[in-house]
Amino acid sequence: MIPYSRQSIEQCDIDAVVETLKGDFLTGGERVEAFEAALASYLGVQHVCVMNSATSALHVAYQIIGLKEEDEIITTPLTFAATSNTALQCGATPVFCDIKFDGNMNEKKVEALITPNTKAVVPMDFGGNPVEIDALRALCDAHHLFLIEDASHALGSEINGQKVGQKADMSIFSFHAIKPITTFEGGAIATNNTEFYEKAKLLRSHGIVKKTLWNSDMVLLGENYRLSDVACALGLSQLKRLDSFIEKRNAIAHAYDVAFAHTPYFTPIGIDNSKKSSHHLYPILLAKNLWCSKEEIFQALHVKGVGVQVHYKPIYQFSYYKERFGELYLPNTEDFYRAELSIPCHQGMSIEEAQYVIQSLLEVCESIKGCHR
Ligand SMILES: *Cc1c(COP(=O)(O)O)cnc(C)c1O
């Protein structure tokens, strides 16, 4: 099976991990700060605080802005559940904003959702395609709201020549196995706000500060969300390879763009010239007459060894959310969910494998012929 995404681990990664395993510090050593410094320099931000997952990083970011009961965040329903789950954990309510047909939250529809309880706007760069961060920044500044970007897909993505992660108050990255780079599990907060950074470090480790000798103090209610030195050693090695990963994913995406330019069966999501995508995903949107056959297409592709996936079931459709917040229906999000398939795009794929995906996809769509109802 050619999976929709996959990690790439080479000897240099293994060596970095083994060297750290044999060293004095499995956790709490200097690999952690070295990885943070390397990330900050790559992203062009002042501070990075790494954690054991992006979910932890989101939770900490919400704690830093003091998110609590009665507060609302405006976010996208087309994301992984953690983006809004972690706001629920703080007692807050997620307000879902409809998306555009590139999968990103519609920045023009955010303002109408702002209430006196709104505390933050939380967009997500779908598949690595950067959100319109300048418009969102201006909106948040005008309404005195925090901007937290879930950039879990977008490490290495750029907009107007700037890396994603520079403009939000805090940007969240994920190093889960199949995200743009991996530390097995892992995540980070990137920020230019020194106060936020200091708080992030405290919350990551029980809110405890060392004093003199054995004496310590606990000043905030925190968690253990630390990332180990072994994981950071892998992260440092992976980060060196990130640009080559993106180049390879770009080559696969380009082959797809060319092959699919004129197919009647689906449309790829084009990346604007002002943007560069990490291509964490390569999403296609099936033509309307194929929506009813999506399960059949999905299964036929899996039989051919093409591991397509669907991103994402809208969060408000989960039963937990429906029971708490009632039914919601956002038309573009619904259509997107009916149309979307993520086809294999990762750095471990050869161009021959991409050709096989192209051929299989076109064959399957041709054989389905759409709905007759
Ligand atoms: C993967 C992902 C997360 C969660 O990342 P973890 O590191 O697995 O906790 C959050 N948001 C989005 C959009 C993701 O894709």
Side-chain angles (χ1 to χ4, degrees):
M1 182 79 78
I2 309 171
Y4 78 89
S5 182
R6 190 185 194 282
Q7 73 279 9
S8 156
I9 300 293
E10 281 182 3
Q11 195 56 44
C12 54
D13 300 307
I14 295 166
D15 291 345
V17 167
V18 170
E19 192 194 326
T20 309
L21 276 173
K22 290 177 177 167
D24 288 332
F25 292 96
L26 295 182
T27 191
E30 49 189 44
R31 294 289 195 292
V32 179
E33 282 178 11
F35 183 37
E36 290 175 335
L39 279 167
S41 149
Y42 180 86
L43 292 170
V45 299
Q46 279 184 42
H47 310 286
V48 169
C49 180
V50 295
M51 297 192 200
N52 59 2
S53 72
T55 305
S56 301
L58 281 160
H59 189 212
V60 165
Y62 292 142
Q63 287 174 284
I64 288 171
I65 62 164
L67 198 69
K68 56 178 190 321
E69 267 120 87
E70 326 262 91
D71 287 342
E72 294 169 359
I73 63 157
I74 298 172
T75 190
T76 171
L78 199 88
T79 179
F80 183 62
T83 315
S84 56
N85 282 357
T86 43
L88 291 181
Q89 270 148 357
C90 296
T93 301
V95 174
F96 294 109
C97 178
D98 206 359
I99 61 165
K100 303 176 290 185
F101 289 111
D102 64 357
N104 283 338
M105 186 168 84
N106 189 341
E107 64 281 353
K108 296 197 177 75
K109 291 193 174 165
V110 173
E111 192 160 29
L113 299 172
I114 296 174
T115 74
N117 292 336
T118 307
K119 186 116 187 193
V121 176
V122 188
M124 193 281 272
D125 309 281
F126 183 79
N129 182 25
V131 295
E132 298 297 333
I133 199 71
D134 287 334
L136 289 162
R137 181 75 268 176
L139 185 75
C140 287
D141 288 346
H143 292 272
H144 306 289
L145 302 173
F146 293 106
L147 179 56
I148 297 176
E149 185 171 7
D150 185 345
S152 290
H153 295 187
L155 186 66
S157 293
E158 293 177 12
I159 177 162
N160 302 318
Q162 287 184 309
K163 288 260 161 30
V164 164
Q166 300 182 357
K167 294 271 177 81
D169 294 299
M170 287 175 270
S171 301
I172 311 302
F173 294 94
S174 173
F175 313 126
H176 173 268
I178 59 168
K179 294 288 161 71
I181 63 167
T182 186
T183 59
F184 319 113
E185 299 274 2
I189 295 179
T191 183
N192 287 316
N193 184 316
T194 303
E195 198 187 317
F196 289 174
Y197 165 68
E198 296 295 343
K199 256 193 178 168
K201 280 203 298 186
L202 268 177
L203 290 166
R204 168 175 75 176
S205 196
H206 312 284
I208 291 180
V209 285
K210 286 205 175 73
K211 308 214 79 160
T212 52
L213 301 175
W214 61 85
N215 192 13
S216 65
D217 194 14
M218 191 200 112
V219 295
L220 278 176
L221 186 59
E223 293 91 15
N224 175 0
Y225 283 167
R226 294 185 304 260
L227 191 62
S228 72
D229 272 61
V230 180
C232 289
L234 178 59
L236 274 165
S237 175
Q238 288 264 302
L239 186 58
K240 288 188 194 133
R241 302 173 59 210
L242 173 58
D243 285 341
S244 75
F245 289 172
I246 294 176
E247 239 170 77
K248 284 195 188 155
R249 294 196 292 257
N250 229 331
I252 305 281
H254 182 69
Y256 287 159
D257 287 346
V258 171
F260 300 148
H262 303 293
T263 171
Y265 304 121
F266 52 83
T267 41
I269 292 176
I271 305 296
D272 196 82
N273 280 335
S274 62
K275 298 176 182 180
K276 176 181 158 189
S277 174
S278 67
H279 286 297
H280 166 57
L281 301 177
Y282 189 94
I284 60 167
L285 301 175
L286 294 173
K288 223 169 196 163
N289 67 323
L290 290 176
W291 290 0
C292 60
S293 309
K294 186 157 140 174
E295 283 182 17
E296 218 180 311
I297 294 169
F298 186 101
Q299 277 172 333
L301 285 166
H302 277 239
V303 167
K304 285 180 179 284
V306 177
V308 291
Q309 185 52 281
V310 173
H311 295 94
Y312 288 94
K313 178 169 173 171
I315 292 184
Y316 59 74
Q317 285 189 15
F318 287 130
S319 41
Y320 181 87
Y321 279 81
K322 283 202 279 196
E323 275 158 34
R324 279 190 63 175
F325 303 107
E327 299 275 341
L328 189 62
Y329 183 97
L330 297 175
N332 288 0
T333 304
E334 297 286 328
D335 284 356
F336 195 94
Y337 178 50
R338 287 192 194 106
E340 202 268 354
L341 275 179
S342 301
I343 66 173
C345 183
H346 56 82
Q347 57 273 8
M349 268 174 82
S350 63
I351 286 292
E352 291 70 37
E353 284 175 309
Q355 294 301 344
Y356 177 73
V357 171
I358 292 167
Q359 185 197 331
S360 306
L361 188 57
L362 293 174
E363 269 172 25
V364 166
C365 289
E366 171 67 27
S367 72
I368 297 273
K369 292 279 195 307
C371 310
H372 305 291
R373 273 166 275 162

